[in-house]
Amino acid sequence: MILIVIDHADGAPRKSAYELVSLGRALTGDDGSLTALVAGDAPGAVAQEIARFVPRVLTVSAPELAPPRAETMTRAVAHAATTLGAEAVLVGASRFGLSYSPRVAMRLGAPLLEDVTALERDGDGYVAKRLSYLARVTETVAASAPTVVVSVKPGAAAAADPAASAGEVTELEVPFEPDDVRVGVASRRAATKGRVALEDADVVVAGGRGFGSAETFDDLVVGLADALGAGVGSTRAVVDAGWRPYGEQIGQTGKTVAPRLYLALAVSGAVQHLSGMNRSKVIVAVNKDADAPIFRVADYGIVGDVLEVVPALQEAVAGLD
Amino acid sequence: MKIVTILKQVPDAEARVRASGGTLDLSGATLVIDGMDEYGVEEALRIRERGMETEIVALACGPERAAEAIRTALAMGVDRAVHVVSDVTLDAVAMARVLAGVVQDEAPELVFVGGKQADWDSSALGPALAEALGWPHADWTTELTFEDGTITVTHDIDDGTETLTLPLPAVVTTQQGLNEPRYPTLPNIMKAKRKTLEARPLADVAAAAGAPADRATELRASEIEARSRRNVVLDGDAKTAATELVRRLRDEAKVL
Ligand SMILES: Cc1cc2nc3c(=O)[nH]c(=O)nc-3n(C[C@H](O)[C@H](O)[C@H](O)COP(=O)(O)OP(=O)(O)OC[C@H]3O[C@@H](n4cnc5c(N)ncnc54)[C@H](O)[C@@H]3O)c2cc1C
Ligand SMILES: Nc1ncnc2c1ncn2[C@@H]1O[C@H](COP(=O)(O)O)[C@@H](O)[C@H]1O
């Protein structure tokens, strides 16, 4: 039995949830044992949506999960895995998933396959691919144990199509303990309100220091992103300059994205930045320096000044439909 | 106050990594203290410098050569260090089990761990260690303050930032934004040579911790990630190149 944990926000599953469904189906051979866990203070709508895709959906509904914390999720997921006798627990490798999945592994005494880009059965166990050394090395890692915990990098599988018939939704009681809520959540601040979340974006427009100022960055990078319905990304240089929030930084110390299309505008292409985007399907680079390292990973490049090229791109995109 | 800062020795980010026959070859690479761990060392030093009496212990698990990275932390100002000497390249869960034993013996109020190790590309060590200890954790921390018996941290989450209060003891994972790590000064590099660096074999530490002295997962191969890219450069003035780019993205790459 494979348990997939559904990452959700604003009453809907995140894109990665549908990717876990695909992986889960492949691993169970679609034998009807795939089970999804939806945990939250009001998981109903998300559970109904996911039931269109998987035969069995468990909901955990508890005030302890609003807002979700690493320790409450650990309790819920570990309890579900133990109760159901899960052979594998698949978690989306969002920042939150990466925060609680190691705790789940430790609590279950299970090995952890972390942030994997591919996952297959291997005898009684599993074999996975994952990136290391700032995403320059691909590791093949295997784990064999009664339960294996796996965090799955967004984009590791194609999103699933709905199943022929809807699955069954049942509720699971979880015995939360006082320590699970010992961490107090004083406040939360959304950084990308109204804009498509970077991790879920099919297209990412990223800008670097070459824009020269926050105003120019807003006009050109954010302007082009809005025209494309894309997420906005930044380099560390941009974030350090205070032009954009940390939450938009892509790279080793920021987020990892693998969109269908990544536009790197006035981005030099330092290894720490590349490690966060080098798995994008198609990469475009615009840079005035023909020798900038970003061109080495680019599918299409324009050697030129972003102050001229980006407005031209905005115009060309506006003329698309 | 006692603080344990955990660190790792990793190849310098600019170092070339090579692989052959499915194994990684780090010979010739410059090895340094992981940049992510320096934030924890620095934060511990700043806590002390703000006037709180603080003992700071660096803790690392790795081969003999990792002692050099530990010396960097000692030269930055850490008081003493424990080096779990291991020729096995442990994974995050296995290392957390081993290190939990040492942390329990040290009994600090606070443990700092780098947010994401540059060799593993893993952020699991901090949360796994916290779970092994039965402590709370905060990851991706950019701000930290103390109030009697608790800490308040600001950290990154998927869609923004969050402010948490944690009872101590706790594990905090560090990242860029928390502070600007200092460079060791020459006098401090000299002083560091006289500080205690206790080396303990992995087998002993693991046995004392009741933890396996081996990986929880099996590393079968390491290969250099190479993707083929089109590498097409579009010529012409800005308007011509931009129009051609959009056309190719739509018709050739089919991503628009
Ligand atoms: C521990 C550590 C972690 C790090 N983590 C990250 C991370 O997560 N993410 C990250 O991005 N970086 C990270 N870095 C920093 C990284 O090494 C680079 O310094 C950073 O990515 C550079 O950002 P940039 O490309 O915007 O700036 P620069 O390197 O300054 O590049 C600017 C580019 O813009 C071009 N340019 C300038 N003007 C124009 C113009 N008018 N038109 C066209 N092109 C122009 C220039 O030719 C240049 O290539 C990290 C560094 C360390 C040490
Ligand atoms: N990137 C670096 N790596 C190692 N040491 C450095 C680096 N930058 C500066 N230093 C040294 O750190 C000390 C203080 O540097 P600074 O405060 O940058 O002037 C000097 O001894 C510098 O030589």
Side-chain angles (χ1 to χ4, degrees), chain A residues 103 107 114 138 300-301, chain B residues 122 131 135 223 225 232 252:
Chain A
R103 295 194 81 120
R107 191 166 299 183
E114 188 191 5
T138 305
Y300 300 102
Chain B
S122 164
E131 181 66 28
W135 296 0
E223 278 137 334
E225 162 88 347
V232 173
E252 187 177 69

Side-chain angles (χ1 to χ4, degrees), chain A residues 58-263:
Chain A
L58 291 179
T59 58
V60 177
S61 171
E64 285 87 348
L65 293 160
R69 298 169 172 87
E71 288 176 275
T72 48
M73 276 308 279
T74 302
R75 176 75 60 198
V77 174
H79 181 76
T82 311
T83 307
L84 301 170
E87 297 153 59
V89 180
L90 272 49
V91 175
S94 59
R95 226 183 250 277
F96 186 52
L98 290 171
S99 181
Y100 71 78
S101 50
R103 295 194 81 120
V104 173
M106 189 60 85
R107 191 166 299 183
L108 296 174
L112 173 69
L113 296 172
E114 188 191 5
D115 211 9
V116 307
T117 57
L119 178 70
E120 281 172 27
R121 280 211 188 262
D122 176 62
D124 289 340
Y126 300 88
V127 63
K129 298 274 184 199
R130 67 180 304 278
L131 305 176
S132 61
Y133 292 86
L134 300 173
R136 290 173 294 175
V137 172
T138 305
E139 292 179 350
T140 306
V141 196
S144 185
T147 304
V148 175
V149 176
V150 188
S151 56
V152 180
K153 208 179 202 48
D161 293 323
S165 58
E168 190 188 320
V169 180
T170 48
E171 203 171 318
L172 179 74
E173 275 308 316
V174 173
F176 288 102
E177 289 182 15
D179 264 1
D180 297 341
V181 290
R182 62 189 154 176
V183 173
V185 181
S187 68
R188 289 193 142 201
R189 214 153 40 90
T192 50
K193 256 281 173 296
R195 182 163 286 117
V196 46
L198 207 41
E199 297 86 339
D200 292 347
D202 275 335
V203 178
V204 171
V205 181
R209 179 154 43 196
F211 284 90
S213 74
E215 292 69 34
T216 314
F217 192 103
D218 282 0
D219 271 2
L220 298 181
V221 181
V222 180
L224 181 60
D226 285 347
L228 287 166
V232 174
S234 306
T235 64
R236 174 173 173 166
V238 163
V239 165
D240 281 349
W243 302 349
R244 303 297 301 176
Y246 277 115
E248 286 181 6
Q249 182 182 308
I250 291 172
Q252 185 205 2
T253 42
K255 293 186 172 157
T256 303
V257 296
R260 195 174 59 188
L261 174 60
Y262 189 93
L263 292 109

Side-chain angles (χ1 to χ4, degrees), chain B residues 18-178:
Chain B
R18 286 171 302 177
S20 64
T23 50
L24 211 59
D25 175 12
L26 290 180
S27 63
T30 311
L31 298 163
V32 295
I33 176 174
D34 195 329
M36 292 293 241
D37 301 329
E38 289 183 355
Y39 300 112
V41 173
E42 178 66 32
E43 196 62 18
L45 297 173
R46 290 189 188 197
I47 289 165
R48 178 163 66 195
E49 286 161 4
R50 280 198 293 267
M52 201 180 299
E53 196 177 316
T54 307
E55 184 189 11
I56 308 169
V57 182
L59 171 59
C61 176
E64 292 289 351
R65 59 168 164 77
E68 284 167 46
I70 300 173
R71 288 281 171 211
T72 305
L74 290 169
M76 285 173 78
V78 165
D79 297 309
R80 62 184 175 84
V82 178
H83 179 187
V84 180
V85 183
S86 167
D87 289 321
V88 186
T89 308
L90 295 179
D91 54 37
V93 164
M95 191 178 285
R97 287 205 178 101
V98 170
L99 294 184
V102 182
V103 172
Q104 247 146 9
D105 292 344
E106 293 284 347
E109 279 82 31
L110 198 54
V111 174
F112 286 123
V113 183
K116 186 173 182 181
Q117 287 77 30
D119 53 350
W120 286 336
D121 280 9
S122 164
S123 53
L125 182 61
L129 177 65
E131 181 66 28
L133 293 163
W135 296 0
H137 82 269
D139 51 16
W140 297 106
T141 306
T142 53
E143 244 180 273
L144 184 153
T145 52
F146 282 91
E147 261 153 273
D148 38 54
T150 67
I151 51 169
T152 298
V153 304
T154 301
H155 76 139
D156 287 349
I157 56 175
D158 285 298
D159 301 316
T161 60
E162 189 180 58
T163 302
L164 304 174
T165 55
L166 290 83
L168 297 177
V171 174
V172 169
T173 88
T174 57
Q175 67 153 327
Q176 157 221 350
L178 183 60

